[in-house]
Amino acid sequence: MTLGPSAQQWAAAVAAVRSAGLDDEIQLICHVNPDGDALGSMLGFGLGLRRLGFTRVRATFPGDFVVPTPYQRLPGADLLVPEPDAFADPRLVLVFDVASESRLGALAGRLAAAPASVVLDHHASNTGFGGVRLVDPQAAATSVVADGLLSRLGVPLDPEIAECLYVALATDTGSFKFDMTTVSVHELAARLIATGIRPGEISRQIFDSKPFGAMKLTGEVLGRAVLEPAAAGGRGMVWTYATLADLERYGQPPYVLDTLIDPVRSVAEADVSVVVKQVAAGEWSVSLRSKGAVDVSGVAVSQGGGGHRLAAGFTGYGEPSDVVDTVRRLVDEHLN
Ligand code: 5GP
Ligand code: MN
């Protein structure tokens, strides 16, 4: 079964952090195309390292250095550097919200070479890479694991750390709506809010603020959605796609499509929802959600991706119809 980190793993993670000198280079890394949990857990932990007196902390992620606008104002955003400016030979590497090494791109080598490394994650599909592994599939967000390590390091929550961890927690629980929204999630949220952060203000900035063009783009992409009632063993599937040309027409960056799955998955007639987002010619980032009939993590893993049982993703190739054909077939193979 899916147990969280053992007492030995927590102790090893604390020891790994304490093994670094205060002036040693510490590199934090999260996954490509970072979301609120990846950035929030990484920057919140980075601020915690600063509080402990570490002076050389950098945070990065692989690929284009695009930080979604709402996250640019997160406390600790000054820790962020583009991939080429990451420490070449860090003493300690900490990795956040990364289910497999492929999500680290070329930075995976930095992790392998470091004298000490700690992986903080909550994906059931985590492949078990890195030195010390703090992987808790029961955790609603990687920030839950980050909070666990910060408290074991004796770092008290302050409003800046709390804002980062709150954004991460709110992102991965769908604003406290998903199944993982447990008593302990609300207890963590309560401790974070008790530092004085403003949940309403934060939610507005992170979730409820979009350029007009992004809203229009969303309208067009939702307008072409297709409902297939017979798919997923009759439980229904709904899908749509967005191309780079769509983004260009509305002058929007790719990350505005990250939340497009939310209105799609709200379709009552479908258990499975799919959004196919173009990354390059013939290459698509595929978001999958299920309401329970299908293990979409299994679907994604079979295509070299990963995620959670009810929320997962992978990279697909060809035309959107090719990708959807593949998903339709695999969904039938992964019915619960
Ligand atoms: P989203 O659809 O929001 O991009 O991703 C849903 C979940 O699937 C997240 O937990 C995310 O980390 C995971 N995921 C999405 N795409 C990939 C992928 O290409 N590879 C892996 N390993 N996980 C992915
Ligand atoms: Mn996450």
Side-chain angles (χ1 to χ4, degrees):
M1 231 336 252
T2 47
L3 290 177
S6 65
Q8 286 89 338
Q9 284 172 316
W10 284 117
V14 169
V17 172
R18 295 209 187 285
S19 74
L22 291 180
D23 295 321
D24 279 344
E25 293 176 347
I26 302 181
Q27 184 64 54
L28 314 185
I29 313 174
C30 70
H31 63 72
V32 63
N33 302 325
D35 59 10
D37 187 29
L39 288 168
S41 59
M42 177 169 74
L43 296 179
F45 195 84
L47 288 171
L49 291 176
R50 265 194 186 153
R51 307 287 188 260
L52 287 170
F54 292 102
T55 58
R56 303 173 77 189
V57 180
R58 290 182 186 170
T60 195
F61 52 87
D64 291 343
F65 190 58
V66 177
V67 179
T69 307
Y71 303 133
Q72 288 174 11
R73 304 173 37 159
L74 278 177
D78 59 301
L79 296 168
L80 285 168
V81 298
E83 176 177 356
D85 296 340
F87 290 123
D89 202 8
R91 170 68 182 72
L92 170 66
V93 172
L94 294 119
V95 175
F96 297 84
D97 203 37
V98 173
S100 65
E101 281 178 289
S102 64
R103 306 269 284 163
L104 287 172
L107 290 164
R110 224 62 64 87
L111 174 71
S117 65
V118 184
V119 170
L120 295 83
D121 188 33
H122 69 128
H123 290 90
S125 67
N126 187 287
T127 55
F129 60 95
V132 181
R133 294 184 285 275
L134 299 179
V135 180
D136 185 356
Q138 310 286 353
T142 296
S143 67
V144 172
V145 182
D147 171 69
L149 186 52
L150 286 172
S151 70
R152 284 168 174 84
L153 286 164
V155 180
L157 293 174
D158 61 36
E160 290 193 320
I161 295 174
E163 179 168 342
C164 290
L165 300 187
Y166 186 88
V167 164
L169 193 61
T171 298
D172 268 26
T173 58
S175 292
F176 307 96
K177 287 189 297 191
F178 297 161
D179 278 348
M180 291 284 207
T181 311
T182 56
V183 169
S184 66
V185 163
H186 281 293
E187 284 170 349
L188 173 55
R191 284 195 286 121
L192 298 173
I193 294 169
T195 65
I197 61 169
R198 307 269 299 273
E201 184 73 18
I202 293 170
S203 298
R204 200 159 34 251
Q205 282 176 20
I206 300 290
F207 304 116
D208 299 331
S209 174
K210 274 192 187 62
F212 184 66
M215 188 272 284
K216 297 286 280 183
L217 168 65
T218 301
E220 186 171 333
V221 174
L222 292 179
R224 64 169 80 118
V226 176
L227 176 65
E228 300 187 14
R235 302 290 292 272
M237 179 169 101
V238 58
W239 60 271
T240 190
Y241 68 94
T243 64
L244 292 176
D246 294 327
L247 290 169
E248 195 170 336
R249 223 169 31 261
Y250 290 99
Q252 296 301 313
Y255 69 76
V256 304
L257 299 173
D258 287 352
T259 51
L260 195 65
I261 191 73
D262 292 323
V264 179
R265 72 181 169 78
S266 70
V267 171
E269 295 92 333
D271 181 275
V272 175
S273 46
V274 187
V275 176
V276 180
K277 297 165 279 190
Q278 189 172 25
V279 179
E283 185 180 336
W284 307 82
S285 168
V286 186
S287 286
L288 302 171
R289 300 290 186 274
S290 167
K291 293 172 187 154
V294 175
D295 172 11
V296 289
S297 170
V299 173
V301 167
S302 78
Q303 296 299 294
H308 312 278
R309 207 169 52 82
L310 302 182
F314 69 94
T315 300
Y317 301 93
E319 297 295 321
S321 58
D322 299 324
V323 176
V324 173
D325 286 348
T326 303
V327 170
R328 193 185 299 108
R329 178 173 54 77
L330 289 169
V331 155
D332 280 331
E333 289 173 15
H334 290 85
L335 289 171
N336 283 318

